[in-house]
Amino acid sequence: MSKSRRPLVAGNWKMNGLKKSQAEVNKLIKKLTKQHLKCDLLLCPPATLLTRFKNAAKGSRLRLGGQDCHGQEKGAHTGDISAQMLADAGATFVIVGHSERRADHQETDRIVRAKAGAASAAGLKVIVCVGETAGERRQKKTLRVIGRQLTKSIPDKSSSSSTVIAYEPVWAIGSGKTPTTKQVAEVHAFIRRKLVQRFGDEGEGMRILYGGSVNPVNASELLAIANVDGALVGGASLKASNFWGIAASY
Ligand code: PGA
């Protein structure tokens, strides 16, 4: 971890959470007032809860984000949500290109790039997700796939303040399986090289998160790996105690 990169621990609630889930957020806010974290803490609940959570988090250091946005500013796209709407509801971040979106909604790198661009235009910081499937890893295509995703999904104008990368092996998400320390180190070093090649110092400053079955037990080992600047957490972010346990391992 470079001194200049403050770690980020981000929670992705996916399609989970109702009004009553605010109890978990309240616990996080309370912990934040009592204990100083060495990382930024971000929660990405469903869009329906953003404003509610934003109001609850007023004055606290908890940041809020969306889980996806449309690639266009506005218009006739029934059921979609724009980056500006997320910002208006209290988000300061948005995740784009999550593998569940890429798989469930056939999102290509080109679509993800448009989303990242729309997010930046609306003033949101963007977390761009990349990662290989189990089959791609078996076929030794991991770095090739990730190289392509990085090149094609990240807009040219990206900077260290606007953009965070999340490496999430698809086979590690929600499976309880994690890559070895060596595998994580290899991919994160590769991503860093690619970012520096393309963005220079800005690439050096971009945070690279690891995501996929992070929990309070494995967090300290994963977060200590070179070029791992935080975590993107799914299942374990739903409970404040688990999510806090991960963030507090810094
Ligand atoms: P998981 O999900 O922590 O439940 O594996 C991670 C993610 O999809 O961001």
Side-chain angles (χ1 to χ4, degrees):
M1 249 292 309
S2 142
K3 281 209 183 64
S4 56
R5 294 194 297 266
R6 182 169 162 84
L8 170 67
V9 171
N12 171 11
W13 274 16
K14 309 188 179 183
M15 202 169 72
N16 298 290
L18 300 171
K19 281 187 281 188
K20 63 182 181 197
S21 320
Q22 193 180 326
E24 294 304 314
V25 179
N26 291 344
K27 286 184 208 164
L28 283 178
I29 295 166
K30 202 164 161 200
K31 283 175 184 290
L32 274 169
T33 57
K34 290 193 180 150
Q35 200 180 318
H36 181 75
L37 281 180
K38 294 204 188 81
C39 61
D40 293 335
L41 197 65
L42 165 70
L43 195 62
C44 301
T48 47
L49 295 174
L50 266 176
T51 302
R52 178 176 287 270
F53 289 1
K54 181 71 180 181
N55 288 337
K58 231 170 229 150
S60 93
R61 286 185 301 272
L62 180 66
R63 290 141 209 244
L64 291 161
Q67 299 175 7
D68 178 53
C69 66
H70 198 275
Q72 285 176 18
E73 193 189 330
K74 60 182 174 190
H77 302 288
T78 303
D80 277 312
I81 192 154
S82 74
Q84 201 182 14
M85 289 170 186
L86 293 172
D88 192 45
T92 50
F93 279 81
V94 63
I95 300 167
V96 299
H98 190 283
S99 60
E100 286 153 14
R101 301 276 331 164
R102 289 180 188 259
D104 295 356
H105 300 271
Q106 293 79 45
E107 290 187 5
T108 60
D109 291 322
R110 193 178 53 80
I111 292 173
V112 174
R113 186 189 188 107
K115 289 177 178 225
S120 295
L124 295 178
K125 295 180 197 301
V126 60
I127 301 177
V128 181
C129 302
V130 298
E132 82 287 3
T133 62
E136 287 161 348
R137 180 163 281 275
R138 256 195 319 275
Q139 293 164 41
K140 306 206 182 316
K141 289 187 187 154
T142 299
L143 298 186
R144 203 188 319 158
V145 167
I146 290 167
R148 187 208 71 219
Q149 290 174 333
L150 290 171
T151 305
K152 297 196 172 170
S153 307
I154 305 176
D156 290 331
K157 277 197 243 149
S158 303
S159 69
S160 57
S161 54
S162 72
T163 307
V164 175
I165 313 302
Y167 167 53
E168 299 203 300
V170 178
W171 51 273
I173 294 175
S175 65
K177 292 185 207 148
T178 50
T180 62
T181 303
K182 197 167 154 240
Q183 287 171 328
V184 174
E186 183 196 23
V187 175
H188 279 245
F190 171 79
I191 294 174
R192 177 69 61 211
R193 278 200 305 279
K194 285 276 173 197
L195 294 176
V196 171
Q197 269 170 22
R198 184 163 164 205
F199 299 107
D201 284 351
E202 290 298 319
E204 187 64 46
M206 284 179 191
R207 293 180 284 192
I208 309 173
L209 313 183
Y210 167 77
S213 296
V214 179
N215 61 45
V217 176
N218 63 21
S220 44
E221 190 181 344
L222 288 163
L223 297 177
I225 301 170
N227 285 302
V228 174
D229 307 309
L232 181 53
V233 185
S237 70
L238 292 168
K239 279 247 162 290
S241 53
N242 288 333
F243 191 42
W244 187 264
I246 293 167
S249 63
Y250 269 110

